[in-house]
Amino acid sequence: MTRLTRAFGRPLALLILLFASLWILGLIAAPQVIMIEQSLWRMERPEGSAEISVRIDGLYNQLDVLALDRSAVEAEADASIRAQKLDTSDVALAALEAEIAGLEATESTPVKVYTLANFAQMGSAHFAIFLKTIVASLAVTAIALAVCYPIAFAVAKLETPQRAGMIMLALVIPYAINELLRIFAWQMILNYNGPVNALLGLFGVEPIPFLESGTGVFVAMVYAYILFMVFPLYNVLETLDSNQIEAARDLGASSWRIHTRVVIPHARPGIAVGCIMTFMLSAGSYAVPYIMTRGTAAPWFTQLIYNRFFEATNWNVGAAYALSLLVICTLFIFVMMRLLKVSLKDIAK
Amino acid sequence: MSHTGMGSNLVLRIYMALFFAYMFLPLGVMLVAGFSDYSPPSITVWRGGTLRWFSELWADERMWSGLTNSLIIAVAVILLSLPMGLSGALLLSKLGGRAGGVLYAVMVSPLLTPGLIIGISTVIFWRHLGAAAGLVTAILAQSAFIASYAMLMFMARLQRLDNTLQEAALDLGATQAQAFRRITLPFLRPTVVTATVIAFLQSFENYNTTIFSIGGQHTLVTEIGARMRFGMSPMINAIGILFILVTLIGAVIWGVLRQRERKLEDLR
């Protein structure tokens, strides 16, 4: 704080603190904390509500008895005695009714109970989808890495810098076109009546239901997020000194060894960023499964989350599901950082 | 790479050509389908070209209101996330050690969090405070992660700031605020421009965070998403063509500007 005031003066330092804390506390930390809290409780019937309901039944019986007595009183001949007796029975009735109303309120007002039941609600069916989403996202990440590594290497090391710049600029174009529209294009390509099936038909192959089988989701997902792998890889490989490769080659290293001992170790931060982004985007993708399957194939985990929130409107369970996804993504980040021995500073560039 | 065998080089080139075909083929499909006079959108059936989908798009009220909402959100996000990102970067520049590390981790965490979780947590938080989901929650949710981009860009630029300039100004009697306004801010100007562009694009194109945080409202992109689910109109391809057009123009402008910048640098 004193360092901040010394550097910027008091008014400016206060302004900086204000904006920074608005962002960090108001937009990042508080929502996350509230979401975690929400996932840990649910509204339940209060404890002992069964006993209360037995009591309420008993009171209703008493009420009926009193009402019966009251109707007997109405037959009383003496007007003054009748009025007196009616008054006392009315008071008793009102007291009973008030007691019942109070008990019923406690019985029906749910109380907030902290529990892990929201997570358990997932059940085996939803848990299977959760696992499937994770495995599929890992596969998307692995494919993207395998496809992009040669591309990034070729552009960064085999092209002149001028041409490399042009190629990367060209790749920005599909990247800049909205994700939904690119996915939609794949929807048309892989459609049952689409060009791929038309082409296969020429060879006498029966049309394949790509979209309904979930293959379409996979293809479109690789396509949609592959560029998040290309750019980080290219950025690190560009900084690799070509002389190192030359030296290794002069010393008799094979291409394989050059890559495993020189290029890949240098590319670690890029690989980490690419894998983390691709995995996170795939596991958290709502658009791809939503557009590619339109409900015809098994859902992606994100669709379950959406349904908990906006269709079943059970926000507690929805928060628990969302938190599960967040935990997996965080876990993946730590594993990648460990495996590739990179720090957060290397990642966020 | 004279040492590389011609064979493996050729293989790599073919591979690259295939990769580019893979990247651009869907855009071609979109282009053809957008002009095709046949619905549902298809490129296997051709009944002649048409501009019908563009005129339908032009007459579509919800698309226009979505565009307005997108622009409102984008402007608000820029106005909110740039000061926040800059404040974060300035704070980190004066903060070292463990506290700085933790703060840095928190500030980049939105970039590593799935967008839908940012959207959901924002909506839950504001419902606790009694506010329903709408444009405002969408703005706040988007700003949470777009500020991280701004912060990283400002941080990279600040690292190259010559501190002696500031010290000289202070020695010559300027107040810290004056030094900031006359030295630091002008130095940051190019980053302000790029950060604005990036923030605009990120906000305008965002689907994942927005769909989970906007409630009953819609932006252009969430409306496109809704159309894709119900009824498949080739109109979507018309939008796609417009997106490609705008992107191409943007890329050309950017390329020309960079070329000119490079020439200027060469002259110096």
Side-chain angles (χ1 to χ4, degrees):
Chain A
M1 181 64 210
T2 46
R3 245 184 293 177
L4 211 58
T5 348
R6 205 177 321 133
F8 302 111
R10 184 175 291 268
L12 208 55
L14 282 178
L15 205 63
I16 289 172
L17 275 183
L18 180 78
F19 271 111
S21 49
L22 170 72
W23 177 32
I24 294 168
L25 299 176
L27 299 189
I28 302 176
Q32 295 295 334
V33 170
I34 295 290
M35 186 184 85
I36 294 171
E37 198 255 0
Q38 175 115 26
S39 76
L40 292 175
W41 59 263
R42 63 176 182 181
M43 301 310 273
E44 277 180 358
R45 287 177 52 160
E47 225 169 295
S49 62
E51 288 83 358
I52 294 177
S53 98
V54 169
R55 260 208 59 211
I56 292 172
D57 289 345
L59 289 175
Y60 268 119
N61 268 333
Q62 284 185 36
L63 199 70
D64 289 342
V65 172
L66 270 179
L68 207 68
D69 289 351
R70 193 177 182 284
S71 60
V73 168
E74 271 165 10
E76 178 74 47
D78 189 335
S80 68
I81 297 175
R82 191 175 64 207
Q84 201 188 346
K85 282 193 171 171
L86 275 181
D87 276 351
T88 48
S89 83
D90 277 347
V91 170
L93 271 173
L96 255 183
E97 267 165 5
E99 194 180 352
I100 289 174
L103 281 176
E104 276 180 339
T106 32
E107 188 207 19
S108 60
T109 311
V111 288
K112 193 167 155 180
V113 178
Y114 283 91
T115 166
L116 288 175
N118 294 325
F119 294 89
Q121 187 116 350
M122 215 180 270
S124 60
H126 284 181
F127 190 67
I129 292 172
F130 182 56
L131 286 185
K132 193 199 80 178
T133 303
I134 295 168
V135 172
S137 304
L138 286 175
V140 169
T141 310
I143 291 175
L145 179 61
V147 170
C148 290
Y149 180 80
I151 298 289
F153 180 77
V155 177
K157 287 292 125 211
L158 305 181
E159 300 286 349
T160 62
Q162 201 93 35
R163 261 180 65 100
M166 287 292 287
I167 291 174
M168 280 299 139
L169 183 60
L171 280 183
V172 169
I173 292 169
Y175 176 74
I177 286 156
N178 194 276
E179 186 189 347
L180 298 185
L181 296 165
R182 283 184 288 142
I183 301 164
F184 186 69
W186 275 103
Q187 203 273 348
M188 287 189 294
I189 294 172
L190 294 179
N191 212 317
Y192 200 76
N193 306 314
V196 170
N197 272 328
L199 202 67
L200 288 177
L202 294 181
F203 298 101
V205 182
E206 287 286 306
I208 301 168
F210 290 109
L211 303 181
E212 292 77 6
S213 62
T215 329
V217 176
F218 205 77
V219 173
M221 208 165 263
V222 172
Y223 179 78
Y225 304 128
I226 204 162
L227 288 170
F228 290 89
M229 189 67 92
V230 173
F231 292 118
L233 279 182
Y234 170 75
N235 286 338
V236 284
L237 287 176
E238 203 196 7
T239 62
L240 172 64
D241 189 351
S242 296
N243 288 327
Q244 286 189 23
I245 302 175
E246 299 283 327
R249 202 183 302 279
D250 289 345
L251 290 172
S254 64
S255 283
W256 173 254
R257 271 179 84 79
I258 289 174
H259 279 278
T260 53
R261 303 298 288 274
V262 179
V263 184
I264 293 177
H266 179 85
R268 281 179 300 122
I271 295 174
V273 178
C275 288
I276 289 172
M277 290 308 283
T278 312
F279 178 80
M280 184 270 281
L281 289 168
S282 311
S285 173
Y286 179 68
V288 176
Y290 165 81
I291 293 166
M292 291 303 282
T293 70
R294 300 204 288 159
T296 53
W300 206 250
F301 193 65
T302 48
Q303 290 172 295
L304 292 184
I305 299 179
Y306 186 89
N307 291 346
R308 290 319 98 182
F309 271 94
F310 302 109
E311 275 155 36
T313 54
N314 189 337
W315 286 33
N316 301 90
V317 175
Y321 280 28
L323 187 61
S324 312
L325 183 65
L326 184 61
V327 167
I328 288 297
C329 289
T330 316
L331 211 64
F332 185 79
I333 294 172
F334 280 116
V335 169
M336 286 314 279
M337 277 166 50
R338 247 309 154 71
L339 274 182
L340 295 169
K341 300 189 186 66
V342 291
S343 71
L344 204 59
K345 286 249 191 247
D346 300 319
I347 289 178
K349 264 182 191 162
Chain B
M1 285 246 108
S2 51
H3 293 283
T4 319
M6 282 305 286
S8 69
N9 223 337
L10 189 68
V11 170
L12 257 182
R13 279 191 188 276
I14 292 173
Y15 182 67
M16 221 151 89
L18 280 176
F19 181 74
F20 266 76
Y22 173 59
M23 284 330 291
F24 284 92
L25 183 82
L27 306 187
V29 169
M30 202 188 293
L31 219 59
V32 174
F35 289 112
S36 165
D37 192 5
Y38 184 76
S39 180
S42 161
I43 59 164
T44 41
V45 187
W46 184 258
R47 297 259 173 85
T50 180
L51 290 176
R52 176 149 71 99
W53 314 121
F54 288 91
S55 60
E56 261 186 35
L57 180 63
W58 182 262
D60 196 306
E61 296 279 337
R62 263 185 83 83
M63 288 290 179
W64 283 109
S65 61
L67 180 65
T68 317
N69 284 343
S70 287
L71 293 176
I72 292 170
I73 292 177
V75 170
V77 165
I78 290 169
L79 292 178
L80 198 60
S81 60
L82 256 63
M84 290 192 309
L86 177 58
S87 298
L90 290 170
L91 195 62
L92 282 180
S93 72
K94 300 292 165 211
L95 214 65
R98 177 162 288 178
V102 171
L103 216 56
Y104 178 82
V106 174
M107 286 183 193
V108 296
S109 69
L111 295 181
L112 307 173
T113 310
L116 71 105
I117 289 177
I118 296 174
I120 281 177
S121 58
T122 306
V123 170
I124 294 178
F125 177 61
W126 286 94
R127 201 174 73 148
H128 271 262
L129 299 182
L135 292 189
V136 176
T137 45
I139 290 167
L140 293 171
Q142 286 188 2
S143 301
F145 76 91
I146 291 174
S148 303
Y149 284 109
M151 187 274 284
L152 289 176
M153 284 187 271
F154 282 123
M155 222 170 82
R157 183 78 179 168
L158 280 172
Q159 273 163 3
R160 280 184 286 153
L161 175 62
D162 188 357
N163 273 325
T164 52
L165 274 178
Q166 216 174 348
E167 279 158 26
L170 293 178
D171 284 346
L172 292 171
T175 64
Q176 289 107 328
Q178 276 174 327
F180 182 79
R181 209 176 56 231
R182 304 292 285 271
I183 294 169
T184 314
L185 270 190
F187 177 77
L188 290 176
R189 183 164 302 148
T191 314
V192 171
V193 175
T194 34
T196 305
V197 173
I198 299 279
F200 179 83
L201 287 177
Q202 287 285 345
S203 166
F204 192 83
E205 303 238 346
N206 185 275
Y207 178 74
N208 218 350
T209 302
T210 313
I211 189 74
F212 279 86
S213 61
I214 200 161
Q217 297 276 359
H218 65 282
T219 67
L220 181 64
V221 170
T222 61
E223 182 59 23
I224 292 172
R227 296 293 169 92
M228 286 178 184
R229 182 165 205 182
F230 311 108
M232 307 254 289
S233 166
M235 205 165 83
I236 287 162
N237 293 307
I239 301 178
I241 292 168
L242 294 180
F243 263 82
I244 296 176
L245 216 65
V246 172
T247 312
L248 273 177
I249 293 170
V252 168
I253 292 174
W254 195 69
V256 168
L257 284 181
R258 241 180 47 155
Q259 205 97 41
R260 191 185 291 173
E261 218 170 273
R262 213 174 277 153
K263 265 185 199 152
L264 278 176
E265 267 170 25
D266 288 347
L267 283 177
R268 269 180 206 154

